Amino acid sequence: MSNSSNYYSSLLKLCCETRNQTQAKKLHCLIIKSLTNPETFLYNNLINAYGKLGNITYARHVFDKMPQRNSFSWNTMLSAYSKSGDLSTMQEIFSIMPNRDGVSWNSLISGYVCYGSFVEAVKAYNLMMKDGVFNLNRITFSTMLLLVSNQGCVDLGRQIHGQIVKFGFGAYVFVGSSLVDMYAKMGLVSVASQVFDEVQERNVVMYNTMITGLLRCGMVKDSKRLFHGMKERDSISWTTMITGLIQNGLEAEAMDLFRDMRQEGMAMDQYTFGSVLTACGGLMALKEGKEIHTLIIRSGYNHNVFVGSALVDMYCKCRSVRYAEAVFKRMANKNVVSWTAMLVGYGQNGFSEEAVRVFCDMQRNGIEPDDFTLGSVISSCANLASLEEGAQFHSQALVSGLISFITVSNALITLYGKCGSIEDSNQLFDEMSFRDEVSWTALVSGYAQFGKANETIDLFEKMLVQGLKPDAVTFIAVLSACSRAGLVERGRQYFESMLKDHGIIPFSDHYTCMIDLFGRAGRLEEAKKFINKMPFSPDSIGWATLLSSCRLYGNEEIGKWAAESLLELDPQNPAGYILLSSIYAAKGKWSNVAQLRRGMREKGARKEPGFSWIKYKSKVYIFSADDQSSPFSDQIYAELEKLNHKMIEEGYVPDASAVLHDVEDSEKMKMLNHHSEKLAIAFGLLFIPHGLPIRVMEHVHVEISGDMLLLQFKAV
């Protein structure tokens, strides 16, 4: 072999390492110019270089021009086609090869395995066995075991295991690791452990594989014992253990292990940082997350897209959206995971409009959404009850084919349900080829939200008949439906069945639903008894719910108890003052009303003004009570007067007891008639074309979180 061949081959190898195809082509030109008859060895290196750099056309050109080919030439060309996914040409090359060896067969099988041709891979393996067992090697068996793992074919896996033992490959650590991995992935941990124990000389890779399998099957104690019993551990061992603990819900232990890893001085890579950041997010451990962020910067991983995405996700889960934004903006390279992390983070923290904006920015940057991204942005539209934008994303889902993913369909069912288009939700549900618990719960919740109690309960019963397991959210919808329909005993039965039949421990929202169930039915004494038997005191919403029912039925005694409990829990919550004032006002106890108003001022409790808004021709029109700011005020109030006269003619009697002022009845009627919601509806009747639905958004809750204002809305 000449010095020039060695020299050029070394340079070609460097081109492969640096992924520099342009330089490889220049070297090729230089070889043609400077060497009259290049050696076969150099030709082979050219084919290999072009193959590794993904230029199959140039590789084939060199191969066809070679004056002499050897087995390495054929195998290199075959491998290039195998790795490129051109399986038909790979098979053609294989069929005309003058000589085949183990490398040839392995390239053929590997091509089929990598590109999902399961049947062809098994056929090739069987033909290889017939061609002669001398071609078999550890790579053959490892490749086939990978295929078996991916396909979950236990019987085929056992056959290959038998052949491994028969032909004496069981002692190879490389093959043993693949066997352990295969059995563990298929849930046969006892067999995986047996294979592990039978291998005499185990290396770190095999230990890591066994630990991964144990953790995947939830056998945390066994994995810990194996990990701590290792004579030698590498960074993969530590990262595997940290990741597995997190996957088993043991984030705090994962954090402790990460600290031990640092003390051991182990090198950390993107996967280590990604896993421990997931633990910080799960624990909402912002302080530790910031410390790890500092370590990431010092380690030089702050420019890694995988780590950057994990940082965004961690900060969002710790409710530090501004930090997440800062990391996201500094990322030089962003992929779909990065964009999705920011989008989901906005949605989870109540900033749905920002989530929609990020999705649009992502598309402008040429990043195509996956099913999770599209499902997330549709969920944000659902939170905003923004039907117009959600319908556009529905169209995108249809065009892109992502509608077939259950995550997208479920999000759309929720969207249409929250926007009041329950017929569209139902149609989507019926069109789904596969439905899971989330699909059913989304539709059940949609019916419940808009007061279709009987339909909600019927659908829930059908869900149970289908053998699907309801979750906590499903029961909130069903209990709400029972409350609206006045089905007290039915609701009580469902509540009791949560823990008894479904193993779901009720939390505060379920107890609030039960308080509402008794309260709406006027069974306030039962509601009080229920509260006294609760394992914990109601939250502010629970007390306000009871207080609201007391106002409805004029129960001053229980109302006072509920109000005092609410104000003790949350002194600045205006609901306690306002609802109790309503009870006093209905009874004409204006001195009590005045006293409550003074107490409200002294405590600094302030009722946020409610407002409603409606969208017309891509513009949002916002209304507050007694609002005169609209340029269409005269028309709106005239329309309201007409509506009020028609309602009174039909026998409607307004309930003036909720007005907390000692004024004439006519003045009370005026206050009731100029509610923000009524103003928005009047606007809709005036300007929304006849036949189209009028959708009004009502602001129902405001809270401050950090430096961000969170608004929650409902469609009415």
Side-chain angles (χ1 to χ4, degrees), residues 141-282:
F141 289 118
S142 296
T143 305
M144 287 305 296
L145 290 171
L146 175 64
L147 173 69
V148 170
S149 296
N150 293 339
Q151 296 293 324
C153 300
V154 180
D155 293 338
L156 179 59
R158 291 187 186 278
Q159 289 176 26
I160 294 171
H161 186 181
Q163 290 162 348
I164 287 168
V165 175
K166 179 180 178 181
F167 297 118
F169 286 91
Y172 285 94
V173 176
F174 187 75
V175 178
S177 293
S178 298
L179 271 171
V180 168
D181 183 60
M182 177 198 74
Y183 283 123
K185 279 182 178 175
M186 290 191 286
L188 302 171
V189 187
S190 58
V191 184
S193 298
Q194 185 181 342
V195 173
F196 179 82
D197 293 337
E198 288 173 354
V199 177
Q200 297 299 316
E201 295 183 12
R202 309 181 195 105
N203 61 8
V204 178
V205 175
M206 194 167 187
Y207 270 96
N208 293 345
T209 304
M210 189 68 232
I211 290 169
T212 301
L214 291 168
L215 288 166
R216 190 183 289 125
C217 296
M219 300 174 70
V220 178
K221 287 184 179 178
D222 295 295
S223 65
K224 285 181 185 177
R225 186 170 58 251
L226 195 61
F227 175 78
H228 291 297
M230 291 175 70
K231 294 179 181 178
E232 180 187 350
R233 294 188 286 252
D234 60 10
S235 61
I236 297 174
S237 314
W238 288 88
T239 302
T240 298
M241 199 69 211
I242 290 168
T243 305
L245 288 171
I246 294 165
Q247 290 168 346
N248 284 277
L250 301 169
E251 288 89 351
E253 286 190 39
M255 294 289 291
D256 291 338
L257 197 64
F258 175 74
R259 294 185 189 98
D260 293 342
M261 183 180 180
R262 286 190 66 188
Q263 288 178 356
E264 290 282 331
M266 300 300 299
M268 299 174 192
D269 60 12
Q270 58 178 340
Y271 302 107
T272 316
F273 288 124
S275 294
V276 75
L277 287 170
T278 300
C280 291

Side-chain angles (χ1 to χ4, degrees), residues 393-591:
F393 294 132
H394 187 177
S395 299
Q396 185 171 346
L398 290 168
V399 171
S400 64
L402 293 175
I403 190 70
S404 61
F405 287 89
I406 197 165
T407 48
V408 176
S409 295
N410 287 346
L412 284 167
I413 291 171
T414 303
L415 165 78
Y416 287 120
K418 284 189 175 181
C419 292
S421 298
I422 199 67
E423 296 82 4
D424 292 320
S425 286
N426 205 71
Q427 183 179 340
L428 268 166
F429 182 83
D430 291 338
E431 290 173 354
M432 292 174 71
S433 56
F434 172 76
R435 307 179 191 98
D436 62 5
E437 287 84 351
V438 178
S439 318
W440 285 85
T441 296
L443 192 60
V444 167
S445 299
Y447 276 116
Q449 183 172 340
F450 283 87
K452 296 182 179 291
N454 294 327
E455 291 90 337
T456 303
I457 293 167
D458 289 344
L459 193 63
F460 177 70
E461 291 294 341
K462 287 179 184 177
M463 180 181 179
L464 295 179
V465 170
Q466 292 283 333
L468 294 166
K469 188 174 177 62
D471 62 10
V473 177
T474 322
F475 274 102
I476 289 172
V478 174
L479 292 173
S480 298
C482 290
S483 177
R484 288 169 185 258
L487 302 173
V488 178
E489 296 308 318
R490 190 78 171 269
R492 196 200 302 267
Q493 290 170 10
Y494 284 138
F495 181 80
E496 290 172 355
S497 74
M498 284 180 64
L499 184 59
K500 185 173 68 176
D501 299 331
H502 303 284
I504 299 170
I505 300 173
F507 54 83
S508 58
D509 287 357
H510 299 104
Y511 285 101
T512 300
C513 286
M514 290 301 293
I515 294 168
D516 187 53
L517 177 73
F518 292 122
R520 279 180 186 252
R523 294 158 72 162
L524 297 170
E525 288 293 339
E526 285 186 64
K528 185 177 180 180
K529 288 178 183 177
F530 179 81
I531 289 171
N532 287 329
K533 290 180 180 178
M534 283 172 57
F536 49 81
S537 294
D539 59 13
S540 58
I541 299 174
W543 287 118
T545 299
L546 177 63
L547 187 51
S548 180
S549 295
C550 291
R551 184 196 68 80
L552 181 65
Y553 289 98
N555 192 314
E556 184 178 337
E557 181 188 347
I558 297 178
K560 190 175 179 182
W561 174 63
E564 288 172 352
S565 301
L566 174 57
L567 295 174
E568 183 181 348
L569 180 67
D570 187 2
Q572 291 188 315
N573 191 323
Y577 299 98
I578 293 165
L579 290 170
L580 186 57
S581 293
S582 295
I583 296 173
Y584 288 141
K587 294 179 180 294
K589 296 184 176 182
W590 299 110
S591 61

